[in-house]
Amino acid sequence: MSATTAQPGPPARSGAATAIGWVLTIGLNVVAPTLTYNALVDHGWSEFGALLLSGAWPVLDTLVHLVWHRKLDEFAIVTIFFLVLTAVVSLVGTHSTRALLVKDSAVTGLFGVLCLVTLLAPRPLMFYFGRRFSTDGTPESHAWWNGLWQFEGFRGVMRTMTIVWGAAYLIEAAARVVLSYVLTVDAMVVVNPILIYGTLGLLVLWTVRTAKRSRAEGEARAAAAAAAAAGA
């Protein structure tokens, strides 16, 4: 497929379905686990018990997606994998707060490794994450997203995004491990969520801007090629 061929636009999407999907994904994977964890710890639960119970929300999100779309996508599989991994890692070794912070860093570091490893697969991890957040889950929107893989520019962007996310989370994990031993536990409890959500926010912002710029550049190349062909 020529690099100058214009990529097709997305099919008509249900605004309500898209909004509901975003609210459920963010609410059940980020907001609800955080609120549940903090509330349980404030009421005397151990960090491990609070972490384990707050992990039920992402599982609920996976079940909702499974019932809604009647299939288990790659995003859900990765979410379940890391929930299980977090529980297993938390059980290993001592259960001190400092050790828990270091173990938490190890999990995000493993996510970074997973991103880079999937570069060896037919399609990198960000392709599947992008499909989860760029479509409304209908077969038509999934077919549109899958069809974009034929374009060289799209493939390059997905691989670049996967490299950046993988490298960023490896750096973030290493920084949190170092800070866990340099700072006091009280200070690290404050710094830890800032690093987690700050890294995620910057990556999401960069990803959105990169996707928009890539699409605009692709459309410009296609328009220039069409004009040149018309002139010839």
Side-chain angles (χ1 to χ4, degrees):
M1 181 65 66
S2 172
T4 59
T5 303
Q7 297 180 11
R13 300 172 65 179
S14 168
T18 302
I20 292 173
W22 272 92
V23 169
L24 285 175
T25 298
I26 296 175
L28 296 179
N29 286 277
V30 179
V31 179
T34 302
L35 294 177
T36 301
Y37 176 82
N38 291 333
L40 291 176
V41 170
D42 289 342
H43 284 78
W45 284 59
S46 67
E47 288 92 349
F48 172 72
L51 180 65
L52 194 62
L53 190 59
S54 62
W57 290 109
V59 173
L60 178 60
D61 175 57
T62 299
L63 293 176
V64 170
H65 187 272
L66 181 60
V67 172
W68 192 352
H69 300 293
R70 298 182 181 179
K71 64 180 179 180
L72 194 65
D73 65 2
E74 292 79 7
F75 180 88
I77 294 173
V78 171
T79 299
I80 293 174
F81 170 77
F82 274 97
L83 285 172
V84 174
L85 179 63
T86 300
V88 171
V89 169
S90 299
L91 284 170
V92 176
T94 60
H95 292 168
S96 67
T97 304
R98 191 182 300 276
L100 190 63
L101 291 170
V102 173
K103 294 173 184 179
D104 189 41
S105 304
V107 173
T108 58
L110 287 173
F111 176 75
V113 172
L114 177 63
C115 285
L116 299 180
V117 168
T118 60
L119 293 169
L120 303 176
R123 298 181 184 184
L125 186 61
M126 284 302 113
F127 171 85
Y128 300 105
F129 275 44
R131 188 174 66 185
R132 175 65 179 265
F133 292 103
S134 299
T135 69
D136 58 6
T138 60
E140 294 78 13
S141 63
H142 274 201
W144 161 73
W145 183 262
N146 293 339
L148 294 178
W149 188 253
Q150 65 184 301
F151 297 99
E152 180 181 351
F154 179 81
R155 296 195 299 271
V157 170
M158 289 298 104
R159 293 190 178 105
T160 298
M161 287 181 177
T162 303
I163 292 172
V164 171
W165 277 70
Y169 270 106
L170 285 175
I171 295 172
E172 182 261 5
R176 282 204 287 147
V177 169
V178 172
L179 291 175
S180 295
Y181 289 101
V182 173
L183 301 178
T184 64
V185 171
D186 289 342
M188 194 57 198
V189 168
V190 176
V191 172
N192 198 50
I194 294 175
L195 286 174
I196 293 174
Y197 296 113
T199 300
L200 178 60
L202 289 174
L203 283 172
V204 169
L205 179 62
W206 173 84
T207 300
V208 171
R209 290 184 173 180
T210 299
K212 289 182 178 179
R213 183 174 65 249
S214 175
R215 182 168 183 82
E217 291 173 350
E219 291 174 347
R221 287 195 300 267

PDB file of all heavy atoms in Angstrom, residues 27-59:
ATOM      1  N   GLY A  27     -13.407   5.280  34.975  1.00  0.00           N
ATOM      2  CA  GLY A  27     -13.973   5.178  36.311  1.00  0.00           C
ATOM      3  C   GLY A  27     -13.608   3.888  37.017  1.00  0.00           C
ATOM      4  O   GLY A  27     -13.245   3.892  38.199  1.00  0.00           O
ATOM      5  N   LEU A  28     -13.688   2.762  36.303  1.00  0.00           N
ATOM      6  CA  LEU A  28     -13.451   1.459  36.930  1.00  0.00           C
ATOM      7  C   LEU A  28     -11.980   1.062  36.974  1.00  0.00           C
ATOM      8  O   LEU A  28     -11.605   0.196  37.764  1.00  0.00           O
ATOM      9  CB  LEU A  28     -14.252   0.377  36.188  1.00  0.00           C
ATOM     10  CG  LEU A  28     -15.773   0.521  36.259  1.00  0.00           C
ATOM     11  CD1 LEU A  28     -16.457  -0.588  35.466  1.00  0.00           C
ATOM     12  CD2 LEU A  28     -16.256   0.499  37.712  1.00  0.00           C
ATOM     13  N   ASN A  29     -11.139   1.675  36.137  1.00  0.00           N
ATOM     14  CA  ASN A  29      -9.719   1.316  36.126  1.00  0.00           C
ATOM     15  C   ASN A  29      -8.829   2.305  36.865  1.00  0.00           C
ATOM     16  O   ASN A  29      -7.707   1.958  37.239  1.00  0.00           O
ATOM     17  CB  ASN A  29      -9.218   1.171  34.685  1.00  0.00           C
ATOM     18  CG  ASN A  29      -9.701  -0.091  34.016  1.00  0.00           C
ATOM     19  OD1 ASN A  29      -9.129  -1.162  34.181  1.00  0.00           O
ATOM     20  ND2 ASN A  29     -10.787   0.021  33.254  1.00  0.00           N
ATOM     21  N   VAL A  30      -9.310   3.531  37.068  1.00  0.00           N
ATOM     22  CA  VAL A  30      -8.478   4.551  37.714  1.00  0.00           C
ATOM     23  C   VAL A  30      -9.155   5.129  38.955  1.00  0.00           C
ATOM     24  O   VAL A  30      -8.624   5.045  40.071  1.00  0.00           O
ATOM     25  CB  VAL A  30      -8.139   5.690  36.716  1.00  0.00           C
ATOM     26  CG1 VAL A  30      -7.300   6.753  37.416  1.00  0.00           C
ATOM     27  CG2 VAL A  30      -7.417   5.149  35.492  1.00  0.00           C
ATOM     28  N   VAL A  31     -10.344   5.722  38.772  1.00  0.00           N
ATOM     29  CA  VAL A  31     -10.988   6.456  39.862  1.00  0.00           C
ATOM     30  C   VAL A  31     -11.438   5.528  40.982  1.00  0.00           C
ATOM     31  O   VAL A  31     -11.065   5.731  42.156  1.00  0.00           O
ATOM     32  CB  VAL A  31     -12.191   7.266  39.328  1.00  0.00           C
ATOM     33  CG1 VAL A  31     -12.868   8.001  40.479  1.00  0.00           C
ATOM     34  CG2 VAL A  31     -11.731   8.257  38.265  1.00  0.00           C
ATOM     35  N   ALA A  32     -12.223   4.519  40.654  1.00  0.00           N
ATOM     36  CA  ALA A  32     -12.772   3.635  41.691  1.00  0.00           C
ATOM     37  C   ALA A  32     -11.684   2.887  42.470  1.00  0.00           C
ATOM     38  O   ALA A  32     -11.754   2.824  43.707  1.00  0.00           O
ATOM     39  CB  ALA A  32     -13.756   2.644  41.061  1.00  0.00           C
ATOM     40  N   PRO A  33     -10.660   2.307  41.817  1.00  0.00           N
ATOM     41  CA  PRO A  33      -9.607   1.640  42.598  1.00  0.00           C
ATOM     42  C   PRO A  33      -8.881   2.585  43.546  1.00  0.00           C
ATOM     43  O   PRO A  33      -8.570   2.215  44.680  1.00  0.00           O
ATOM     44  CB  PRO A  33      -8.663   1.097  41.518  1.00  0.00           C
ATOM     45  CG  PRO A  33      -9.518   0.932  40.315  1.00  0.00           C
ATOM     46  CD  PRO A  33     -10.478   2.084  40.369  1.00  0.00           C
ATOM     47  N   THR A  34      -8.607   3.820  43.085  1.00  0.00           N
ATOM     48  CA  THR A  34      -7.904   4.780  43.934  1.00  0.00           C
ATOM     49  C   THR A  34      -8.738   5.169  45.144  1.00  0.00           C
ATOM     50  O   THR A  34      -8.249   5.172  46.287  1.00  0.00           O
ATOM     51  CB  THR A  34      -7.558   6.043  43.126  1.00  0.00           C
ATOM     52  OG1 THR A  34      -6.751   5.681  42.001  1.00  0.00           O
ATOM     53  CG2 THR A  34      -6.792   7.035  43.990  1.00  0.00           C
ATOM     54  N   LEU A  35     -10.011   5.485  44.915  1.00  0.00           N
ATOM     55  CA  LEU A  35     -10.886   5.867  46.019  1.00  0.00           C
ATOM     56  C   LEU A  35     -11.077   4.709  46.993  1.00  0.00           C
ATOM     57  O   LEU A  35     -11.080   4.899  48.220  1.00  0.00           O
ATOM     58  CB  LEU A  35     -12.245   6.326  45.481  1.00  0.00           C
ATOM     59  CG  LEU A  35     -12.240   7.620  44.653  1.00  0.00           C
ATOM     60  CD1 LEU A  35     -13.641   7.911  44.125  1.00  0.00           C
ATOM     61  CD2 LEU A  35     -11.731   8.791  45.490  1.00  0.00           C
ATOM     62  N   THR A  36     -11.243   3.503  46.457  1.00  0.00           N
ATOM     63  CA  THR A  36     -11.448   2.329  47.317  1.00  0.00           C
ATOM     64  C   THR A  36     -10.217   2.050  48.169  1.00  0.00           C
ATOM     65  O   THR A  36     -10.322   1.809  49.376  1.00  0.00           O
ATOM     66  CB  THR A  36     -11.769   1.087  46.457  1.00  0.00           C
ATOM     67  OG1 THR A  36     -12.951   1.343  45.683  1.00  0.00           O
ATOM     68  CG2 THR A  36     -11.980  -0.136  47.328  1.00  0.00           C
ATOM     69  N   TYR A  37      -9.049   2.118  47.541  1.00  0.00           N
ATOM     70  CA  TYR A  37      -7.798   1.858  48.266  1.00  0.00           C
ATOM     71  C   TYR A  37      -7.618   2.858  49.408  1.00  0.00           C
ATOM     72  O   TYR A  37      -7.345   2.480  50.555  1.00  0.00           O
ATOM     73  CB  TYR A  37      -6.612   1.932  47.307  1.00  0.00           C
ATOM     74  CG  TYR A  37      -5.279   1.762  47.980  1.00  0.00           C
ATOM     75  CD1 TYR A  37      -4.782   0.500  48.280  1.00  0.00           C
ATOM     76  CD2 TYR A  37      -4.510   2.874  48.326  1.00  0.00           C
ATOM     77  CE1 TYR A  37      -3.551   0.340  48.910  1.00  0.00           C
ATOM     78  CE2 TYR A  37      -3.288   2.727  48.956  1.00  0.00           C
ATOM     79  CZ  TYR A  37      -2.814   1.465  49.247  1.00  0.00           C
ATOM     80  OH  TYR A  37      -1.603   1.323  49.872  1.00  0.00           O
ATOM     81  N   ASN A  38      -7.774   4.147  49.097  1.00  0.00           N
ATOM     82  CA  ASN A  38      -7.581   5.174  50.123  1.00  0.00           C
ATOM     83  C   ASN A  38      -8.610   5.041  51.248  1.00  0.00           C
ATOM     84  O   ASN A  38      -8.272   5.198  52.436  1.00  0.00           O
ATOM     85  CB  ASN A  38      -7.686   6.565  49.487  1.00  0.00           C
ATOM     86  CG  ASN A  38      -6.519   6.861  48.565  1.00  0.00           C
ATOM     87  OD1 ASN A  38      -5.432   6.330  48.737  1.00  0.00           O
ATOM     88  ND2 ASN A  38      -6.739   7.710  47.573  1.00  0.00           N
ATOM     89  N   ALA A  39      -9.857   4.748  50.887  1.00  0.00           N
ATOM     90  CA  ALA A  39     -10.902   4.614  51.907  1.00  0.00           C
ATOM     91  C   ALA A  39     -10.622   3.424  52.822  1.00  0.00           C
ATOM     92  O   ALA A  39     -10.786   3.517  54.047  1.00  0.00           O
ATOM     93  CB  ALA A  39     -12.264   4.465  51.239  1.00  0.00           C
ATOM     94  N   LEU A  40     -10.200   2.309  52.252  1.00  0.00           N
ATOM     95  CA  LEU A  40      -9.937   1.114  53.066  1.00  0.00           C
ATOM     96  C   LEU A  40      -8.745   1.319  53.984  1.00  0.00           C
ATOM     97  O   LEU A  40      -8.773   0.909  55.163  1.00  0.00           O
ATOM     98  CB  LEU A  40      -9.704  -0.091  52.145  1.00  0.00           C
ATOM     99  CG  LEU A  40     -10.931  -0.581  51.369  1.00  0.00           C
ATOM    100  CD1 LEU A  40     -10.545  -1.713  50.424  1.00  0.00           C
ATOM    101  CD2 LEU A  40     -12.024  -1.048  52.322  1.00  0.00           C
ATOM    102  N   VAL A  41      -7.695   1.948  53.469  1.00  0.00           N
ATOM    103  CA  VAL A  41      -6.516   2.211  54.303  1.00  0.00           C
ATOM    104  C   VAL A  41      -6.877   3.154  55.447  1.00  0.00           C
ATOM    105  O   VAL A  41      -6.437   2.970  56.592  1.00  0.00           O
ATOM    106  CB  VAL A  41      -5.372   2.797  53.446  1.00  0.00           C
ATOM    107  CG1 VAL A  41      -4.231   3.296  54.339  1.00  0.00           C
ATOM    108  CG2 VAL A  41      -4.842   1.746  52.479  1.00  0.00           C
ATOM    109  N   ASP A  42      -7.704   4.166  55.152  1.00  0.00           N
ATOM    110  CA  ASP A  42      -8.129   5.110  56.191  1.00  0.00           C
ATOM    111  C   ASP A  42      -8.953   4.416  57.279  1.00  0.00           C
ATOM    112  O   ASP A  42      -8.999   4.885  58.428  1.00  0.00           O
ATOM    113  CB  ASP A  42      -8.958   6.244  55.574  1.00  0.00           C
ATOM    114  CG  ASP A  42      -8.097   7.182  54.728  1.00  0.00           C
ATOM    115  OD1 ASP A  42      -6.868   7.156  54.889  1.00  0.00           O
ATOM    116  OD2 ASP A  42      -8.670   7.914  53.895  1.00  0.00           O
ATOM    117  N   HIS A  43      -9.604   3.302  56.919  1.00  0.00           N
ATOM    118  CA  HIS A  43     -10.425   2.577  57.888  1.00  0.00           C
ATOM    119  C   HIS A  43      -9.677   1.398  58.523  1.00  0.00           C
ATOM    120  O   HIS A  43     -10.286   0.502  59.094  1.00  0.00           O
ATOM    121  CB  HIS A  43     -11.708   2.068  57.223  1.00  0.00           C
ATOM    122  CG  HIS A  43     -12.736   3.141  57.008  1.00  0.00           C
ATOM    123  ND1 HIS A  43     -12.659   4.049  55.990  1.00  0.00           N
ATOM    124  CD2 HIS A  43     -13.868   3.449  57.720  1.00  0.00           C
ATOM    125  CE1 HIS A  43     -13.691   4.879  56.061  1.00  0.00           C
ATOM    126  NE2 HIS A  43     -14.440   4.543  57.095  1.00  0.00           N
ATOM    127  N   GLY A  44      -8.349   1.405  58.390  1.00  0.00           N
ATOM    128  CA  GLY A  44      -7.542   0.433  59.110  1.00  0.00           C
ATOM    129  C   GLY A  44      -7.142  -0.814  58.349  1.00  0.00           C
ATOM    130  O   GLY A  44      -6.523  -1.714  58.921  1.00  0.00           O
ATOM    131  N   TRP A  45      -7.487  -0.908  57.081  1.00  0.00           N
ATOM    132  CA  TRP A  45      -7.080  -2.065  56.303  1.00  0.00           C
ATOM    133  C   TRP A  45      -5.576  -2.012  56.034  1.00  0.00           C
ATOM    134  O   TRP A  45      -4.978  -0.935  55.963  1.00  0.00           O
ATOM    135  CB  TRP A  45      -7.820  -2.093  54.966  1.00  0.00           C
ATOM    136  CG  TRP A  45      -9.254  -2.541  55.053  1.00  0.00           C
ATOM    137  CD1 TRP A  45     -10.246  -1.973  55.782  1.00  0.00           C
ATOM    138  CD2 TRP A  45      -9.843  -3.637  54.356  1.00  0.00           C
ATOM    139  NE1 TRP A  45     -11.432  -2.646  55.602  1.00  0.00           N
ATOM    140  CE2 TRP A  45     -11.215  -3.677  54.728  1.00  0.00           C
ATOM    141  CE3 TRP A  45      -9.375  -4.592  53.457  1.00  0.00           C
ATOM    142  CZ2 TRP A  45     -12.098  -4.626  54.228  1.00  0.00           C
ATOM    143  CZ3 TRP A  45     -10.250  -5.538  52.946  1.00  0.00           C
ATOM    144  CH2 TRP A  45     -11.594  -5.558  53.342  1.00  0.00           C
ATOM    145  N   SER A  46      -4.983  -3.184  55.836  1.00  0.00           N
ATOM    146  CA  SER A  46      -3.583  -3.229  55.436  1.00  0.00           C
ATOM    147  C   SER A  46      -3.457  -2.790  53.984  1.00  0.00           C
ATOM    148  O   SER A  46      -4.419  -2.855  53.212  1.00  0.00           O
ATOM    149  CB  SER A  46      -3.030  -4.649  55.583  1.00  0.00           C
ATOM    150  OG  SER A  46      -3.654  -5.526  54.653  1.00  0.00           O
ATOM    151  N   GLU A  47      -2.241  -2.319  53.609  1.00  0.00           N
ATOM    152  CA  GLU A  47      -2.050  -1.894  52.226  1.00  0.00           C
ATOM    153  C   GLU A  47      -2.321  -3.040  51.253  1.00  0.00           C
ATOM    154  O   GLU A  47      -2.919  -2.850  50.192  1.00  0.00           O
ATOM    155  CB  GLU A  47      -0.621  -1.376  52.018  1.00  0.00           C
ATOM    156  CG  GLU A  47      -0.329  -0.037  52.653  1.00  0.00           C
ATOM    157  CD  GLU A  47       0.246  -0.195  54.052  1.00  0.00           C
ATOM    158  OE1 GLU A  47       0.211  -1.333  54.579  1.00  0.00           O
ATOM    159  OE2 GLU A  47       0.725   0.811  54.611  1.00  0.00           O
ATOM    160  N   PHE A  48      -1.880  -4.235  51.642  1.00  0.00           N
ATOM    161  CA  PHE A  48      -2.061  -5.379  50.748  1.00  0.00           C
ATOM    162  C   PHE A  48      -3.544  -5.703  50.573  1.00  0.00           C
ATOM    163  O   PHE A  48      -4.021  -5.914  49.463  1.00  0.00           O
ATOM    164  CB  PHE A  48      -1.331  -6.607  51.301  1.00  0.00           C
ATOM    165  CG  PHE A  48      -1.624  -7.865  50.527  1.00  0.00           C
ATOM    166  CD1 PHE A  48      -1.105  -8.048  49.256  1.00  0.00           C
ATOM    167  CD2 PHE A  48      -2.447  -8.845  51.056  1.00  0.00           C
ATOM    168  CE1 PHE A  48      -1.390  -9.199  48.529  1.00  0.00           C
ATOM    169  CE2 PHE A  48      -2.738  -9.993  50.344  1.00  0.00           C
ATOM    170  CZ  PHE A  48      -2.195 -10.169  49.077  1.00  0.00           C
ATOM    171  N   GLY A  49      -4.285  -5.732  51.694  1.00  0.00           N
ATOM    172  CA  GLY A  49      -5.704  -6.037  51.601  1.00  0.00           C
ATOM    173  C   GLY A  49      -6.457  -4.991  50.804  1.00  0.00           C
ATOM    174  O   GLY A  49      -7.320  -5.321  49.985  1.00  0.00           O
ATOM    175  N   ALA A  50      -6.111  -3.710  51.021  1.00  0.00           N
ATOM    176  CA  ALA A  50      -6.768  -2.631  50.282  1.00  0.00           C
ATOM    177  C   ALA A  50      -6.428  -2.713  48.798  1.00  0.00           C
ATOM    178  O   ALA A  50      -7.295  -2.501  47.938  1.00  0.00           O
ATOM    179  CB  ALA A  50      -6.341  -1.282  50.853  1.00  0.00           C
ATOM    180  N   LEU A  51      -5.170  -3.003  48.492  1.00  0.00           N
ATOM    181  CA  LEU A  51      -4.751  -3.109  47.088  1.00  0.00           C
ATOM    182  C   LEU A  51      -5.466  -4.260  46.395  1.00  0.00           C
ATOM    183  O   LEU A  51      -5.932  -4.138  45.258  1.00  0.00           O
ATOM    184  CB  LEU A  51      -3.233  -3.318  47.020  1.00  0.00           C
ATOM    185  CG  LEU A  51      -2.616  -3.444  45.631  1.00  0.00           C
ATOM    186  CD1 LEU A  51      -2.779  -2.137  44.864  1.00  0.00           C
ATOM    187  CD2 LEU A  51      -1.148  -3.816  45.728  1.00  0.00           C
ATOM    188  N   LEU A  52      -5.573  -5.376  47.102  1.00  0.00           N
ATOM    189  CA  LEU A  52      -6.202  -6.553  46.509  1.00  0.00           C
ATOM    190  C   LEU A  52      -7.689  -6.312  46.246  1.00  0.00           C
ATOM    191  O   LEU A  52      -8.207  -6.638  45.169  1.00  0.00           O
ATOM    192  CB  LEU A  52      -6.021  -7.758  47.441  1.00  0.00           C
ATOM    193  CG  LEU A  52      -6.319  -9.143  46.853  1.00  0.00           C
ATOM    194  CD1 LEU A  52      -5.385  -9.443  45.691  1.00  0.00           C
ATOM    195  CD2 LEU A  52      -6.193 -10.207  47.925  1.00  0.00           C
ATOM    196  N   LEU A  53      -8.379  -5.710  47.203  1.00  0.00           N
ATOM    197  CA  LEU A  53      -9.810  -5.482  47.040  1.00  0.00           C
ATOM    198  C   LEU A  53     -10.098  -4.402  46.000  1.00  0.00           C
ATOM    199  O   LEU A  53     -11.049  -4.512  45.218  1.00  0.00           O
ATOM    200  CB  LEU A  53     -10.430  -5.088  48.378  1.00  0.00           C
ATOM    201  CG  LEU A  53     -11.972  -5.045  48.401  1.00  0.00           C
ATOM    202  CD1 LEU A  53     -12.537  -6.413  48.024  1.00  0.00           C
ATOM    203  CD2 LEU A  53     -12.479  -4.627  49.770  1.00  0.00           C
ATOM    204  N   SER A  54      -9.268  -3.359  45.957  1.00  0.00           N
ATOM    205  CA  SER A  54      -9.482  -2.297  44.969  1.00  0.00           C
ATOM    206  C   SER A  54      -9.270  -2.810  43.552  1.00  0.00           C
ATOM    207  O   SER A  54      -9.781  -2.227  42.593  1.00  0.00           O
ATOM    208  CB  SER A  54      -8.543  -1.117  45.237  1.00  0.00           C
ATOM    209  OG  SER A  54      -7.182  -1.507  45.119  1.00  0.00           O
ATOM    210  N   GLY A  55      -8.543  -3.924  43.411  1.00  0.00           N
ATOM    211  CA  GLY A  55      -8.333  -4.517  42.094  1.00  0.00           C
ATOM    212  C   GLY A  55      -9.568  -5.181  41.528  1.00  0.00           C
ATOM    213  O   GLY A  55      -9.582  -5.597  40.370  1.00  0.00           O
ATOM    214  N   ALA A  56     -10.635  -5.264  42.332  1.00  0.00           N
ATOM    215  CA  ALA A  56     -11.872  -5.867  41.829  1.00  0.00           C
ATOM    216  C   ALA A  56     -12.557  -4.965  40.804  1.00  0.00           C
ATOM    217  O   ALA A  56     -13.292  -5.451  39.938  1.00  0.00           O
ATOM    218  CB  ALA A  56     -12.826  -6.134  43.005  1.00  0.00           C
ATOM    219  N   TRP A  57     -12.315  -3.651  40.876  1.00  0.00           N
ATOM    220  CA  TRP A  57     -12.962  -2.732  39.940  1.00  0.00           C
ATOM    221  C   TRP A  57     -12.530  -2.960  38.493  1.00  0.00           C
ATOM    222  O   TRP A  57     -13.386  -3.030  37.598  1.00  0.00           O
ATOM    223  CB  TRP A  57     -12.690  -1.287  40.360  1.00  0.00           C
ATOM    224  CG  TRP A  57     -13.401  -0.892  41.626  1.00  0.00           C
ATOM    225  CD1 TRP A  57     -12.836  -0.660  42.844  1.00  0.00           C
ATOM    226  CD2 TRP A  57     -14.804  -0.688  41.794  1.00  0.00           C
ATOM    227  NE1 TRP A  57     -13.796  -0.337  43.772  1.00  0.00           N
ATOM    228  CE2 TRP A  57     -15.020  -0.333  43.152  1.00  0.00           C
ATOM    229  CE3 TRP A  57     -15.907  -0.771  40.948  1.00  0.00           C
ATOM    230  CZ2 TRP A  57     -16.288  -0.062  43.660  1.00  0.00           C
ATOM    231  CZ3 TRP A  57     -17.176  -0.494  41.451  1.00  0.00           C
ATOM    232  CH2 TRP A  57     -17.343  -0.144  42.798  1.00  0.00           C
ATOM    233  N   PRO A  58     -11.234  -3.065  38.188  1.00  0.00           N
ATOM    234  CA  PRO A  58     -10.846  -3.373  36.809  1.00  0.00           C
ATOM    235  C   PRO A  58     -11.394  -4.712  36.320  1.00  0.00           C
ATOM    236  O   PRO A  58     -11.686  -4.874  35.132  1.00  0.00           O
ATOM    237  CB  PRO A  58      -9.308  -3.378  36.867  1.00  0.00           C
ATOM    238  CG  PRO A  58      -8.991  -2.465  38.000  1.00  0.00           C
ATOM    239  CD  PRO A  58     -10.056  -2.723  39.017  1.00  0.00           C
ATOM    240  N   VAL A  59     -11.520  -5.672  37.237  1.00  0.00           N
ATOM    241  CA  VAL A  59     -12.120  -6.952  36.852  1.00  0.00           C
ATOM    242  C   VAL A  59     -13.578  -6.727  36.449  1.00  0.00           C
ATOM    243  O   VAL A  59     -14.063  -7.313  35.468  1.00  0.00           O
ATOM    244  CB  VAL A  59     -12.033  -7.963  38.017  1.00  0.00           C
ATOM    245  CG1 VAL A  59     -12.801  -9.229  37.669  1.00  0.00           C
ATOM    246  CG2 VAL A  59     -10.576  -8.292  38.327  1.00  0.00           C
TER     247      VAL A  59
END
